[in-house]
Amino acid sequence: MDVYLKGFLIACKGIPTTVVVSLIAIVLGAALGLLLALCSQTKSKILQVIAKVYVDVIRGTPMLVQALIMAYGVPWLLQSWGSAFKWDNLGGLVVPAVIVCGCNSAAYMSEVIRSGIQAIDKGQMEAARSLGMTHGMAMRLIIIPQAVRVILPAFANEFVTLIKETSVLGYVGVVEILRRGQLWNSSSFETFPAYIGVALAYMILTIPLSKIINGYERKVARRESAA
Amino acid sequence: MSMIEIKGLEKSFGDLEVLKGIDQNVEEGEVLCIVGPSGSGKSTMLRCINRLEEPTAGEIYIDGELVTDKNIDSMRTKMGMVFQSFNLFPHKSVLENLTIGPLNVKKANEAEIKEKAMKLLERVGLAAKANEYPRNLSGGQQQRVAIARALAMDPEVILFDEPTSALDPEMVGEVLDVMKDLAKEGMTMVVVTHEMGFAKEVANKVIFMDGGYIVEQGTPDAVLNHPQEARTKDFLSKVLV
């Protein structure tokens, strides 16, 4: 059994990296996602098209490919233009990893946020505007706070998905949970215990999170039915 | 100078012409009731006044000033609006519903506006509900809060869009009572309503709309008790059973 425990503990060493990358990425993704959602709701055709193309491109390509482009393709391109660009100079390959996870998550978050905003009764916007609020003020004070409650479970689900998706980052040199397991496997040849350890390490992150989401959804459902 | 001047107002939704040329003035302190069948354009006319609907043609003047896209936010602070479906902010307490506009739009002093909001809640009989959330209030109570919310902005005129149509019958009276008090205090009001009793008792002027036109207008007695036009007579015979 010791070898399984060892595999689990080694995989767990990757947890801080996975959690930090996921956390920064989800914040980046939420901010960028909100911006995209607002763009898709404006009257400006150009902003609408930009948001649409962004979402289509990101959702239409695997995150691993996006990570390879960002981590290796972009430096290659910049260097071919004569720049001395290297991710190492900016803090290492974890930087493009975070950027890619954030940008990827933003495309999914923007859809979640857009549907959350659309779920708010349009009378709310009218009431806010009739008090003399600008569109921006009404969004900030009235619409978005209500939309947040609607989208919180979907937001948390996106976070769970993101944690699992960061497993592709091992391919671009980030030593997170899966990469830890792979490295140990290639030196110890304890293949089954290594990957079981990796799976368990992901589960201790994702399962409590899912439980929290379910609890929140039940609480909201109870409150709604009581009202 | 009239408080509200409506000149040549037209509104179409796509091919559908809802307003076909409305001219109307509302004087300070006047209570104007707009009656008519559904689809006659009454609510659209009201919503064009504060530009919740953008007019297709025509002009609206408030205190002699033309309402445009540019000045609409400041113009709206002069016009309160009360909606059929209340539209209270569900994530804010009753008190916050009253203060959020003045605090953010007028940058009002927080202590002062809270005190004023409490007085307004007292006036509509809901001071005890200040810290409740809208979902815990009855429809009639919510609509009274919505009236207080409009008053908190110190408007010069309040627009009422069928304020009692979404209410259970036993709650209509409490809302109409608040509106009657407002009228007595000299508030300028434009009221789209199906409450003919209210119109007869409170209005200074009644207009009957049908098919996107003002068909008939005058004192409540003239329009509601002695209508001249066939369409008015027909409508009233259906609603005044």
Side-chain angles (χ1 to χ4, degrees), chain A residues 12 36 39 44 78-79 90 102 125 137 153 155 186 200-201 207 210:
Chain A
C12 283
L36 287 167
C39 283
S44 159
L78 293 175
Q79 283 158 18
L90 293 173
M125 177 56 92
M137 207 183 266
F155 181 84
S186 46
L200 288 173
I207 289 184
S210 301

Side-chain angles (χ1 to χ4, degrees), chain B residues 89-105:
Chain B
F89 306 131
H91 61 306
K92 297 286 177 190
S93 71
V94 164
L95 186 66
E96 288 167 334
N97 263 275
L98 268 64
T99 57
I100 193 167
L103 280 177
N104 290 283
V105 176

